[in-house]
Every structure is written in structure tokens, then in C-alpha cells.
Amino acid sequence: MLRDEDNKYCVDCDAKGPRWASWNLGIFLCIRCAGFHRNLGVHISRVKSVNLDSWTPEQVQMGNSRARAVYEANLPDSFRRPQTDSTLEGFIRAKYEAKNT
């Protein structure tokens, strides 16, 4: 799945080379965003290492493109991803916890 062009970047901040994933959301994450996802709690996001953890076929689903179509469907075309920690964490919380994007 990491060969897919959209999965080569963190779904939340666009950092290159994500090494983490939220397997229940089906998204790939950088280490910074993985920390924010861990703070959401396992009832929302379950984070695993792409390389260090084992994966079942059921956990290898969706991908960033499909997840963006679900979780970012209402974002305007001109949307720019937040880069500071506080705005990025707020964006992630709104997107997955409150589902307000």
C-alpha cells in the first residue's frame, strides 16, 4: 500500500515518508501525527508501525485516497493543511473525533 502515491505522504500534514498507520481508519501517518492520533484514544484511532508491527489482511484496507474522500469530503479546494502543532492537532481532532471537516 505504501507504493500508492497518496500513501507516500502523511494523510494529515503531507509529510513525506509516513512510517505509522492508523489501521482502523486505514491511513498512513508521520510520527508527529501518529502522536496526535494516539492522544485521540483507541476508540477512535489505533496506531501501529508500518515496519515493526505485524498486519492482518483486514488491517490493510482503504489507504489515504479513500480516507480523504470520506473524512475530507467537505474541505474547500483551496484548503491548506495546518503545520503548527496546535492547529494540526485541532484539525485532526475535528476530522476524526468530531467529524467536522
Side-chain angles (χ1 to χ4, degrees):
M1 291 208 51
L2 283 173
R3 292 186 187 119
D4 180 4
E5 190 62 32
D6 202 32
N7 294 340
K8 293 180 181 180
Y9 299 89
C10 175
V11 72
D12 291 324
C13 74
D14 278 341
K16 190 172 181 177
R19 306 315 307 158
W20 297 89
S22 174
W23 63 266
N24 64 310
L25 297 174
I27 56 175
F28 292 90
L29 305 161
C30 67
I31 193 163
R32 178 172 68 154
C33 291
F36 296 138
H37 276 260
R38 281 198 172 99
N39 290 339
L40 294 175
V42 295
H43 63 290
I44 296 174
S45 185
R46 296 181 180 192
V47 177
K48 292 175 83 166
S49 169
V50 170
N51 301 94
L52 302 175
D53 292 313
S54 58
W55 291 79
T56 65
E58 295 81 33
Q59 292 173 333
V60 184
Q61 301 291 320
M62 202 177 283
N64 288 354
S65 295
R66 289 177 61 195
R68 282 186 172 147
V70 171
Y71 292 102
E72 299 181 2
N74 298 323
L75 290 178
D77 291 338
S78 61
F79 178 76
R80 294 183 54 121
R81 298 191 177 278
Q83 296 301 311
T84 65
D85 284 351
S86 62
T87 57
L88 184 56
E89 184 174 14
F91 170 66
I92 289 170
R93 286 195 179 278
K95 188 158 98 168
Y96 302 106
E97 192 175 63
K99 296 176 181 74
N100 289 332
T101 57

